[in-house]
Amino acid sequence: MSASEHDAAAPTDHRDGSSADHPVRTAAFFDLDKTVIAKSSTLAFSKPFFDQGLLNRRAVLKSTYAQFFFLMSGADHDQMERMRSYVTNMCAGWDVEQIKSIVGETLHDIVDPLVFAEAADLIADHKLCGRDVVVVSASGEEIVAPIARALGASHAMATRMVVEDGRYTGEIAFYCYGEGKVEAIRALAAQEGYALEHCYAYSDSITDLPMLSAVGHPTVVNPDRALRKEAAARGWPVLTFTRPVSLRDRIPAPSGAAVATTAAVGMSALAAGALTYSLLRRFAP
């Protein structure tokens, strides 16, 4: 991300419209896949699910192909619908607590942990400005919530599956996608008192156009072709994130009280994994 790009989208205190007498609560809403982390959060867990007997080799290879396609071309509405159908059918009958345990135990091994360094900087900036950070993803909440916690996010909004007798039925209770993301954002804004006209949102996909349009300060990140065209027409900032960086390489050595304070905030925002291992390599037959 160039200096001009960062300046165009960097959060600033005075844009919130707040004052000492009239504080305004705001938030920064981040899509997850290809915006904060480098890959699909759902498909990245194919290997531990395979190791635990939840997937067969054919399903793993299919997930690998889907991951590769997702990275190369993004996902439009029809592709997202096919992925949704595939994932929900795949997990029907799975034990919910087993999934939570697998994700919890393997999160940092799968994630590495790595995030886009540029995304980590923005998250830290927003937190320093006093804004809540909210991760909004179409992936399942059992995967999104732990990643959001690792990022130091205030809230996570994700797809929720129907559960009966502790197992997924294969049906969706809430699909956090498209207008569904806006529904969740508005509900959270009403609960937390966010002024959406002063909030920020970041995403890579045209399918998140409703989310970006719902806030006063939208920014597109690594946009697909359709979203790039829309951003140009609307005059929205466009950022390119290219540097997944290991957490251990990002921790600064504090040299004073002010630096230590900034480092502590930054570390809480950077404690996430970026899904940057090549699934094609790991699942090669």
Side-chain angles (χ1 to χ4, degrees):
M1 180 169 55
S2 68
S4 59
E5 283 179 324
H6 186 274
D7 291 343
T12 54
D13 292 311
H14 67 274
R15 295 175 72 179
D16 287 346
S18 61
S19 67
D21 296 328
H22 300 90
V24 173
R25 292 203 66 199
T26 58
F29 299 94
F30 285 83
D31 174 51
L32 184 59
D33 301 346
K34 294 179 70 176
T35 301
V36 173
I37 63 178
K39 299 194 179 179
S40 164
S41 52
T42 297
L43 299 179
F45 282 88
S46 296
K47 186 173 188 304
F49 292 162
F50 171 78
D51 291 340
Q52 293 294 318
L54 296 172
L55 295 177
N56 58 31
R57 191 169 188 82
R58 180 180 179 183
V60 170
L61 292 173
K62 188 173 181 179
S63 295
T64 300
Y65 173 78
Q67 178 75 273
F68 177 75
F69 185 83
F70 175 77
L71 287 175
M72 293 300 100
S73 61
D76 60 19
H77 176 76
D78 291 341
Q79 291 159 353
M80 285 293 293
E81 285 300 305
R82 288 196 294 271
M83 185 178 294
R84 177 193 63 80
S85 178
Y86 167 69
V87 171
T88 54
N89 290 334
M90 178 180 68
C91 71
W94 287 1
D95 182 271
V96 176
E97 292 305 314
Q98 182 184 10
I99 298 304
K100 291 180 179 178
S101 176
I102 292 172
V103 173
E105 292 174 1
T106 64
L107 177 65
H108 292 291
D109 290 334
I110 295 299
V111 172
D112 191 26
L114 301 170
V115 298
F116 281 125
E118 301 92 338
D121 289 342
L122 273 178
I123 289 172
D125 287 347
H126 281 295
K127 291 169 70 71
L128 285 170
C129 288
R131 298 186 190 94
D132 287 352
V133 170
V134 184
V135 174
V136 191
S137 175
S139 295
E141 62 181 354
E142 288 78 14
I143 290 175
V144 176
I147 295 176
R149 285 195 296 270
L151 280 165
S154 309
H155 302 279
M157 296 184 290
T159 294
R160 298 191 303 275
M161 300 288 291
V162 175
V163 176
E164 291 183 0
D165 298 324
R167 295 182 180 275
Y168 298 115
T169 67
E171 300 176 340
I172 292 179
F174 171 69
Y175 191 22
C176 194
Y177 166 79
E179 292 292 344
K181 285 190 177 183
V182 177
E183 176 186 336
I185 286 171
R186 287 176 176 161
L188 183 64
Q191 172 186 311
E192 298 293 334
Y194 301 143
L196 287 179
E197 66 271 23
H198 297 300
C199 289
Y200 294 72
Y202 302 88
S203 180
D204 69 291
S205 174
I206 189 63
T207 61
D208 280 336
L209 185 60
M211 178 180 81
L212 293 166
S213 301
V215 301
H217 304 294
T219 296
V220 304
V221 176
N222 297 341
D224 56 34
R225 184 178 301 178
L227 184 57
R228 184 177 294 276
K229 182 178 179 180
E230 193 70 34
R234 297 180 183 228
W236 290 348
V238 178
L239 303 180
T240 301
F241 293 173
T242 60
R243 298 186 295 114
V245 178
S246 174
L247 177 62
R248 69 174 62 92
D249 296 331
R250 299 276 304 172
I251 300 176
S255 58
V259 175
T261 300
T262 302
V265 175
M267 286 169 60
S268 68
L270 294 172
L275 310 178
T276 56
Y277 283 128
S278 167
L279 291 183
L280 287 173
R281 183 177 304 164
R282 295 187 66 173
F283 294 115

